[in-house]
């Protein structure tokens, strides 16, 4: 869907659901050595748009660059972060929108519509141990959840928080300074791993499913959120189930090609489910019941 702001009004003049709201890029953080992962901090140009954009952890927005189109991107900031939104975007060499986004500079204007999709089950997670397992840049919406749970007003609502997060190499780890801060806290257990370290890396080496097996978090009164590339997800489900996590307590987020983002166009359906509306958050039990039956 290739929208520019002025094209997006309904025929009756009412605001169309496809109307992107203008936002300014306040800050860009280059996250990795290869420079194909950037975090964009956006501030809505109109206060009303900011007030209306009430989101929860796990949701996504459609980000647009006029003339290039729009893409669904998970919200990486926490709902408690006031005054801005953050999105971490991977640029694909042939990706039209992600390349256009990466070419923008601080101060540039772009479009945001949303928030869309369902959310991580934060209310169900309250009072439980929370395990987070992630690999690669799919960590973005889990970062939102960690920020949310660690916020002073929320931390006591959740029991133990264990995070197992991996990247291919030390240079590919996202949110490096935040990871360090979390590692220094005593109310969250961090296990950061890389597939292969370099001469400066003093941390853990190993694939996420292997580290998960070594750490063996208890499934007692626990919910696990797991996001990553399909191959990591496939190899992670086996140890999780062996550790006693029932498929209903394994929560993941699916990615599918999308167009409207609001359940109208049918682009993202898997069987009778629309990933944009019924998801993107699904339990492993629900994923197993989908026609594709897995990742
Ligand atoms: C709910 C949801 C949340 C998402 N959250 C994020 C996020 O937080 N950060 C993020 O960077 N992306 C996220 N994505 C993926 C993102 O939407 C796509 O990468 C983006 O739409 C690609 O747009 P493009 O115009 O740059 O690529 P296109 O021009 O549409 O595609 C060009 C080529 O790029 C490659 N490509 C595009 N997308 C992918 C992909 N997902 N995997 C592998 N190769 C691909 C393919 O080779 C494709 O042929 C999310 C997707 C969904 C559905
Ligand atoms: S993207 Fe249109 S129905 Fe999901």
């Amino acid at each position: 869907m290739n929208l520019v702001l002025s094209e997006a009004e309904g025929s009756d003049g009412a605001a169309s659901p496809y109307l992107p709201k203008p936002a300014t890029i306040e800050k860009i953080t280059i996250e990795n050595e290869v420079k194909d992962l950037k975090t964009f901090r956006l501030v809505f140009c109109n206060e009303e748009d900011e007030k209306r954009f009430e989101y929860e952890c796990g949701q996504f927005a459609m980000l647009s660059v006029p003339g290039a189109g729009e893409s669904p991107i998970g919200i990486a900031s926490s709902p408690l972060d006031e005054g801005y939104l953050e999105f971490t975007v991977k640029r694909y060499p042939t990706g039209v929108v992600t390349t256009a986004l990466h070419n923008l500079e601080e101060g540039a204007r772009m479009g945001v519509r949303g928030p869309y999709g369902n959310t991580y089950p934060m209310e169900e997670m309250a009072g439980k141990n929370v395990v987070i397992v992630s690999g690669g840049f799919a960590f973005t919406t889990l970062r939102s959840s960690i920020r949310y749970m660690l916020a002073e007003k929320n931390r006591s609502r959740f029991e133990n928080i264990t995070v197992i997060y991996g990247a291919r190499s030390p240079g590919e780890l996202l949110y490096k300074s935040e990871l360090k801060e979390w590692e220094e806290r005593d109310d969250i257990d961090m296990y950061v791993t890389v597939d292969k370290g370099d001469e400066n890396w003093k941390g853990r080496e190993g694939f996420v499913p292997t580290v998960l097996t070594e750490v063996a978090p208890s499934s007692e009164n626990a919910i696990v959120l797991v996001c990553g590339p399909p191959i990591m997800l496939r190899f992670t489900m086996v140890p999780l189930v062996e550790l006693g996590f029932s498929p209903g307590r394994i929560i993941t987020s699916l990615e599918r090609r999308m167009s409207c983002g609001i359940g109208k166009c049918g682009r993202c359906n898997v069987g009778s489910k629309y990933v944009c509306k019924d998801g993107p958050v699904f339990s492993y039990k629900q994923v197993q019941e989908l026609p594709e039956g897995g990742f």
Side-chain angles (χ1 to χ4, degrees), residues 60 71-74 88-90 92 94-98 137 140 255-258 280:
F60 68 95
S71 277
I73 304 289
T88 303
V89 181
K90 181 175 172 74
Y92 288 97
T94 53
V96 177
V97 178
T98 56
F137 73 97
T140 60
E255 265 194 31
R256 287 293 180 279
R257 289 286 180 154
M258 288 183 182

Side-chain angles (χ1 to χ4, degrees), residues 141-199:
T141 56
L142 297 177
R143 181 249 194 169
S144 163
S145 312
I146 298 170
R147 284 175 75 86
Y148 180 81
M149 290 188 289
L150 289 182
E152 211 178 325
K153 70 179 247 192
N154 279 337
R155 183 60 192 92
S156 60
R157 294 175 56 216
F158 302 91
E159 296 298 319
N160 297 337
I161 303 175
T162 305
V163 176
I164 299 167
Y165 165 55
R168 229 176 291 156
S169 64
E172 292 301 299
L173 287 166
L174 293 175
Y175 316 125
K176 291 180 188 60
S177 60
E178 217 166 6
L179 291 179
K180 201 158 172 280
E181 273 172 39
W182 295 340
E183 281 175 327
E184 283 163 6
R185 289 177 70 134
D186 55 13
D187 59 353
I188 176 167
D189 294 323
M190 295 292 297
Y191 299 90
V192 176
T193 183
V194 295
D195 296 354
K196 185 140 184 48
D198 55 24
E199 61 281 10

Side-chain angles (χ1 to χ4, degrees), residues 257-268 274-277:
R257 289 286 180 154
M258 288 183 182
S259 183
C260 69
I262 54 174
K264 303 276 187 210
C265 71
R267 179 90 195 262
C268 68
Y274 290 123
V275 174
C276 67
K277 209 165 135 233

